[in-house]
Amino acid sequence: MAKQQQVVIVGGGVIGLLTAFNLASAGQHVVLLERSNVGQESSWAGGGIVSPLYPWRYSPAVTALAHWSQDFYPQLAERLFATTGVDPEVHTTGLYWLDLDDEAEALAWAQREQRPLSAVDISAAHDAVPVLGGGFSRAIYMADVANVRNPRLVKSLKAALAALPAVTIHEQCEVSGFIREGERVLGVQTSLGEIRGDQVVLAAGAWSGELLKSLGLVLPVEPVKGQMILYKCASDFLSCMVLAKGRYAIPRRDGHILIGSTLEHEGFDKTPTSSALESLKASAIELIPALAQAEVVGHWAGLRPGSPEGIPYIGPVPGLAGLWLNCGHYRNGLVLAPASCQLFANLMLGQEPIIDPAPYAPGGRI
């Protein structure tokens, strides 16, 4: 399918933006539709660690996407920075996991997958991260883990798309349903009227399942709320990411420290709560006691697109020609975006896929 077509993309998060960038860079006409402003939902709200929190707990399907993306992120960031002047700030700090229950499984996974993860003495963790709390006894470390400053990544992608000739972005454009003729999807119904295309891509994150209901399809993607807090410290305060008991601290280059995150099944409610604020502050102080004296400068919530086993849906929808999915990335949308969107472009453009697409195919899963 290398001929030029009009592709309508529903959803302007990192997945939708990067899908649009890959397709437009390959010569396709792209119309991107976003119900609010691009990148303002989970793409903005997440922490941006370029690794699953516990990579050894995932299936090979998630691992394959994660490894490809981790290796590709630095060059993606360089390309976007060179094109737009907006630096997504891929910041390689390494990551310490503390007091893991499944440390043996983690180390076995690292050996099997040849990832640079190893057990270290807790004193080495304290030497590397002097502000680390004293209540921990064991640590494992992976040196090459980075984080990306996700709001800057979104800004950079939007600027890169604005510079491409065959891209139209409609913000404040809510999609209410699909235009269907028999077994073919021809476009979408929106608050701006009908928008038609040769292909329609659903990349609407937590809202993807709701939209597919209008076609009588059940997609098991549901919103999972996550809350985060933000501190501002000196730029050299925290040198490395640290993670314990499911909570993490992520340093940005300018001294901002993100602490996350909760996992809540509250439907589409993204109201930040005082109980989550207190819980996150307690985790922050356990990880880094000096944060007890720091001021919380931000507190927000986002909605992850929860999916079974966190395996995204990438590819055409069987029985409905013209309809494609790139959604359901759950906790790892930012991690998996480069690989997911490259694989998606391979499939739509009829190219050799970067990895085996079978585990992500919507067929048999919806």
Side-chain angles (χ1 to χ4, degrees):
M1 193 207 106
K3 71 179 194 295
Q4 190 173 67
Q5 302 199 54
Q6 173 145 306
V7 182
V8 177
I9 298 174
V10 181
V14 163
I15 299 293
L17 291 166
L18 195 49
T19 299
F21 183 69
N22 287 346
L23 293 174
S25 298
Q28 306 300 299
H29 278 281
V30 174
V31 181
L32 183 95
L33 311 176
E34 168 52 47
R35 57 194 278 281
S36 57
N37 293 317
V38 298
Q40 293 303 297
E41 294 291 349
S42 59
S43 298
W44 182 90
I49 301 176
V50 185
S51 169
L53 288 186
Y54 300 98
W56 54 90
R57 297 179 188 172
Y58 284 92
S59 69
V62 172
T63 299
L65 290 171
H67 285 183
W68 196 93
S69 290
Q70 285 165 323
D71 294 341
F72 186 74
Y73 246 116
Q75 67 194 77
L76 173 65
E78 280 171 28
R79 180 180 174 189
L80 289 171
F81 188 21
T83 307
T84 67
V86 180
D87 185 359
E89 290 190 22
V90 173
H91 184 29
T92 304
T93 62
L95 172 57
Y96 284 94
W97 287 265
L98 305 165
D99 291 359
L100 279 171
D101 292 332
D102 57 351
E103 186 177 301
E105 288 88 336
L107 295 170
W109 170 87
Q111 198 167 12
R112 195 169 61 244
E113 297 288 337
Q114 297 185 301
R115 301 311 272 190
L117 175 77
S118 56
V120 295
D121 194 89
I122 194 70
S123 65
H126 282 285
D127 289 345
V129 188
V131 293
L132 185 64
F136 304 104
S137 56
R138 287 175 296 113
I140 64 172
Y141 176 66
M142 189 148 66
D144 64 350
V145 185
N147 65 75
V148 61
R149 195 157 183 175
N150 32 310
R152 302 273 172 95
L153 175 65
V154 165
K155 190 176 175 186
S156 189
L157 280 167
K158 186 179 179 183
L161 286 172
L164 290 169
V167 177
T168 306
I169 297 177
H170 292 299
E171 296 181 297
Q172 310 299 324
C173 176
E174 183 138 19
V175 172
S176 55
F178 298 88
I179 304 165
R180 178 178 177 175
E181 277 183 17
E183 299 304 293
R184 185 161 195 93
V185 170
L186 302 172
V188 287
Q189 311 276 2
T190 82
S191 51
L192 298 178
E194 285 192 355
I195 296 178
R196 291 178 176 252
D198 302 297
Q199 312 288 338
V200 174
V201 184
L202 186 58
W207 288 264
S208 300
E210 295 295 304
L211 279 167
L212 276 186
K213 282 180 187 171
S214 67
L215 289 169
L217 295 174
V218 178
L219 180 74
V221 172
E222 57 172 11
V224 181
K225 182 176 176 178
Q227 299 188 51
M228 310 265 299
I229 58 174
L230 183 71
Y231 294 91
K232 179 71 168 75
C233 301
S235 59
D236 60 352
F237 173 75
L238 180 64
S239 58
C240 186
M241 295 182 281
V242 290
L243 194 161
K245 300 180 186 173
R247 297 280 171 88
Y248 50 79
I250 305 171
R252 300 295 196 221
R253 284 185 192 153
D254 64 2
H256 278 103
I257 312 284
L258 288 98
I259 305 289
S261 69
T262 62
L263 274 173
E264 305 165 68
H265 293 266
E266 302 282 348
F268 286 95
D269 172 24
K270 4 175 247 190
T271 314
T273 62
S274 56
S275 59
L277 175 63
E278 292 312 310
S279 171
L280 289 164
K281 281 166 76 172
S283 294
I285 292 163
E286 186 178 6
L287 280 168
I288 304 165
L291 290 178
Q293 277 72 56
E295 180 194 354
V296 174
V297 296
H299 174 210
W300 63 87
L303 299 175
R304 308 175 186 86
S307 59
E309 290 186 75
I311 299 172
Y313 298 85
I314 305 170
V317 176
L320 280 174
L323 182 62
W324 299 71
L325 303 183
N326 193 359
C327 58
H329 293 75
Y330 195 18
R331 302 191 74 174
N332 294 310
L334 286 154
V335 185
L336 306 181
S340 298
C341 298
Q342 187 58 55
L343 176 62
F344 184 91
N346 294 155
L347 295 172
M348 183 172 271
L349 300 171
Q351 300 164 343
E352 182 70 25
I354 51 164
I355 56 173
D356 177 12
Y360 321 101
R365 296 181 66 209
I366 59 174

